[in-house]
């Protein structure tokens, strides 16, 4: 899903195309972007071969619907056994999908329905920095879920912030997860990201209306809605 992150989107899309696991489908959601995002998607789609295009689905929202709604629209189209969300300003290692798919397939025998991999922090230009090999904080970025389980949980419509954390915590209140101690995705840090652009607002949400309930489930006040 992408909203006005066109400057980073091509690197994200290309990283998925470079995956060593080619048995996948790629769903791209433009959430009513007003920047170069539509053109980036068009240029990228024109550059890939006809065989790969058969694996691609593109959604263009006429207006900005919000990240949870866009994620749910993508989930509704997902037909693969597993699903992984890659934010438009992040990207994945070529071996990420195959490594996580193997790990999750194995861990499902013990009841796990998601796998969380480590990641590498980068600056705005994509220069690699600190490596978080073990995802101790359970960062939900680029986590791989069993699709049918993700369908049961879904993202909570209307959340402007913490939609990934809220989804993740509700997911873990119902299902087990496993952890892969390998840095398999790249987390770009920049000032226009939701995390950094709205730090004060996110802090107010936490202080005013977000509490951690049973099983790590986050309950939010109406101040979180769009």
């Amino acid at each position: 899903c992408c909203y006005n992150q066109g400057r980073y989107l091509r690197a994200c899309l290309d990283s998925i195309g470079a995956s060593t696991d080619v048995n996948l489908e790629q769903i791209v959601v433009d959430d009513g972007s007003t920047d170069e995002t539509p053109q980036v998607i068009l240029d990228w789609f024109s550059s890939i071969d006809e065989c790969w295009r058969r694996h691609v689905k593109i959604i263009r929202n006429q207006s900005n619907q919000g990240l949870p709604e866009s994620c749910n629209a993508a989930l509704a189209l997902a037909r693969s056994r597993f699903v992984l969300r890659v934010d438009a300003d992040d990207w994945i290692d070529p071996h990420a999908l195959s490594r996580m798919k193997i790990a999750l397939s194995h861990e499902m025998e013990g009841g796990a329905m998601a796998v969380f991999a480590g990641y590498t922090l980068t600056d705005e230009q994509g220069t690699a920095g600190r490596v978080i090999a073990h995802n101790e904080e359970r960062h939900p970025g680029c986590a791989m879920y069993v699709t049918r389980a993700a369908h049961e949980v879904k993202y909570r419509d209307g959340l402007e912030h913490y939609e990934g954390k809220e989804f993740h915590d509700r997911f873990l209140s119902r299902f087990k997860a496993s952890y892969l101690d390998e840095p398999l995705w790249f987390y770009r840090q920049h000032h226009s990201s939701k995390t950094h652009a709205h730090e004060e607002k996110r802090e107010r949400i936490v202080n005013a209306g977000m509490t951690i309930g049973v099983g790590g489930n986050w309950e939010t006040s109406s101040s979180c809605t769009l």
Side-chain angles (χ1 to χ4, degrees):
C1 302
C2 183
Y3 177 64
N4 288 346
Q5 295 292 334
R7 76 183 82 170
Y8 309 116
L9 180 58
R10 184 61 188 257
C12 175
L13 295 171
D14 286 343
S15 75
I16 298 167
S19 174
T20 55
D21 187 336
V22 296
N23 184 26
L24 57 91
E25 60 181 353
Q26 190 170 0
I27 302 171
V28 184
V29 183
D30 174 14
D31 190 19
S33 298
T34 57
D35 67 350
E36 67 269 33
T37 292
Q39 189 62 49
V40 170
I41 294 174
L42 178 61
D43 292 344
W44 164 76
F45 190 74
S46 299
S47 72
I48 61 179
D49 60 45
E50 184 176 351
C51 181
W52 184 250
R53 291 178 191 174
R54 298 172 187 170
H55 297 263
V56 175
K57 300 172 183 176
I58 299 174
I59 302 173
R60 164 72 175 169
N61 295 337
Q62 294 305 307
S63 61
N64 181 240
Q65 301 298 306
L67 187 54
E69 290 85 344
S70 294
C71 288
N72 285 333
L75 273 176
L77 291 176
R79 297 294 179 266
S80 298
R81 186 184 185 192
F82 305 123
V83 63
L84 180 144
R85 165 185 149 188
V86 187
D87 286 341
D89 50 356
D90 299 333
W91 72 99
I92 62 174
D93 182 274
H95 302 286
L97 298 179
S98 57
R99 292 288 298 120
M100 282 193 276
K101 188 168 74 172
I102 291 171
L104 185 51
S105 297
H106 175 74
E107 294 295 331
M108 284 179 70
E109 297 177 5
M113 302 295 273
V115 61
F116 293 82
Y119 56 95
T120 300
L121 294 169
T122 83
D123 62 16
E124 186 169 359
Q125 289 70 41
T127 303
R130 189 160 62 101
V131 175
I132 313 295
H134 180 60
N135 197 344
E136 292 181 352
E137 296 183 359
R138 297 176 176 177
H139 193 303
C142 292
M144 180 175 285
Y145 301 91
V146 175
T147 304
R148 60 181 173 83
H151 274 297
E152 290 184 31
V153 178
K154 290 188 173 61
Y155 288 83
R156 180 167 292 173
D157 289 347
L159 288 186
E160 187 177 0
H161 298 288
Y162 294 109
E163 75 294 320
K165 175 66 174 173
E166 197 276 339
F167 170 88
H168 159 78
D169 284 340
R170 280 192 296 113
F171 190 96
L172 288 186
S173 73
R174 299 178 60 179
F175 302 107
K176 291 174 59 178
S178 62
Y179 299 89
L180 188 59
D181 290 345
E182 293 183 40
L184 293 175
W185 60 282
F186 296 85
Y187 182 22
R188 192 191 302 265
Q189 308 286 286
H190 59 95
H191 293 295
S192 62
S193 69
K194 286 177 61 178
T195 302
H196 291 86
H198 304 282
E199 286 181 345
E200 291 185 6
K201 185 173 183 180
R202 289 163 66 88
E203 185 175 353
R204 287 199 303 272
I205 290 172
V206 171
N207 291 337
M210 183 173 282
T211 58
I212 299 179
V214 177
N217 192 20
W218 287 48
E219 300 173 354
T220 59
S221 71
S222 59
S223 63
C224 289
T225 59
L226 288 170

